[in-house]
Amino acid sequence: MNYFYVMNGKKLKQAIFVIAALLFAAGIVYAERENISAFAGKDTGPKAIYSVPTDKKVIALTFDISWGDKRAEPILKILEEKGVKNATFFLSSPWTKSHLEIVKKIKDGGFEIGSHGHKHVNYSSLNDEEIRKQIQTADSTLTDAVGQKPNLIRMPNGDFDKRVLKIAKDLGYSVIQWDTDSLDWMNIGTDKIIDRVMKKAHPGDIVLMHASDSCKQTHEALPVIIDQLKAKGYEFVTVGELLKQSKAENKDVQDQAANLHIT
């Protein structure tokens, strides 16, 4: 009798422990859900732009550049050969300063130029003054190089929080993200890059690609992507032109971990 009492006591303790653990986990999930809801749903501040809702078959090809001098010019040549006159390049200021000749070719090609910030770090990890300094430093460099102040910015690694969005807006910038990530920055293979873009592309889409040297397959995938999008009836526009098509779809700020990438 005592034997069964001891066994039941042990089971009871185990059951209590399991229940307590489940309640603790549920509490965390509930708290996180409330935090996400409050951050995403109730916030009325500036938002990042991922795409534009439209029925028109328009799409914006975008290229981030933060280092190297081997990939940008081949990509520019492909765009010229394929008759794509509209695309948007997001340039980091250190790269801009050391590659003025390539910047001039991008400008002379009539392509839109946006900022990719200064240091390639996650701005959400910086204090407000540092965030402002990073954006302003890049602003000054790009304005001097291009002769025109940019008004679009894509944050390094696609990372931001509400503070970053507000400071960027105060400095006259719209923060541009993407709906379709080509994953060219992962060098997943030319065919996979093409397949990913073609499966995800949609009217009003912003497509993320790169022209940094670390991305070794973009220039191989790009001609096929352009041809296949054209075959589907898409017209290529800059991000600026895309925003004019309709009121931008401003998605609520959510966890950006899935968007982190290396350029």
Side-chain angles (χ1 to χ4, degrees), residues 23-250:
L23 288 173
F24 179 73
I28 291 176
V29 171
Y30 178 79
E32 290 300 318
R33 183 183 298 173
E34 287 299 303
N35 287 338
I36 292 172
S37 176
F39 188 52
K42 299 177 183 178
D43 178 49
T44 57
K47 309 286 194 303
I49 298 168
Y50 289 74
S51 66
V52 167
T54 179
D55 293 329
K56 297 180 180 179
K57 279 200 166 183
V58 289
I59 195 166
L61 301 179
T62 68
F63 302 88
D64 294 357
I65 310 180
S66 56
W67 74 281
D69 55 10
K70 296 179 181 179
R71 303 300 174 196
E73 291 186 275
I75 285 174
L76 287 172
K77 186 176 180 181
I78 290 168
L79 293 174
E80 180 182 4
E81 290 174 348
K82 293 295 182 179
V84 177
K85 298 181 179 180
N86 298 310
T88 302
F89 287 79
F90 291 95
L91 312 180
S92 73
S93 60
W95 184 88
T96 297
K97 193 173 285 188
S98 58
H99 296 85
L100 291 175
E101 290 186 6
I102 302 178
V103 175
K104 185 176 186 302
K105 289 182 179 180
I106 295 173
K107 178 187 175 183
D108 290 348
F111 299 109
E112 183 176 52
I113 295 177
S115 173
H116 197 33
H118 184 54
K119 290 183 179 179
H120 208 280
V121 297
N122 291 344
Y123 284 9
S124 64
S125 68
L126 306 176
N127 63 43
D128 290 6
E129 183 179 350
E130 289 172 329
I131 294 168
R132 188 171 289 103
K133 182 177 180 181
Q134 291 297 313
I135 296 175
Q136 288 177 325
T137 299
D139 183 288
S140 177
T141 299
L142 286 165
T143 299
D144 289 345
V146 180
Q148 181 178 352
K149 174 183 168 63
N151 59 9
L152 305 176
I153 187 169
R154 175 171 286 156
M155 299 302 171
N157 297 323
D159 171 84
F160 60 83
D161 58 15
K162 290 192 292 185
R163 295 177 307 116
V164 174
L165 292 175
K166 183 179 185 307
I167 292 169
K169 182 180 179 181
D170 290 344
L171 293 174
Y173 281 94
S174 295
V175 176
I176 306 301
Q177 290 291 93
W178 57 87
D179 247 7
T180 295
D181 185 350
S182 68
L183 294 183
D184 61 347
W185 52 278
M186 292 182 66
N187 294 312
I188 57 175
T190 301
D191 290 341
K192 289 184 179 179
I193 293 171
I194 294 167
D195 186 60
R196 182 173 176 84
V197 173
M198 296 312 301
K199 282 183 176 179
K200 294 177 70 66
H202 60 84
D205 194 10
I206 298 175
V207 181
L208 171 67
M209 291 186 283
H210 298 79
S212 290
D213 282 6
S214 55
C215 303
K216 303 176 181 180
Q217 298 155 348
T218 310
H219 66 292
E220 297 172 350
L222 184 59
V224 181
I225 289 172
I226 291 172
D227 287 345
Q228 291 190 10
L229 286 173
K230 282 184 175 180
K232 287 190 173 185
Y234 279 98
E235 174 189 351
F236 299 101
V237 297
T238 65
V239 171
E241 291 170 334
L242 188 63
L243 298 182
K244 294 176 183 178
Q245 296 287 329
S246 175
K247 183 178 180 181
E249 177 188 9
N250 293 329

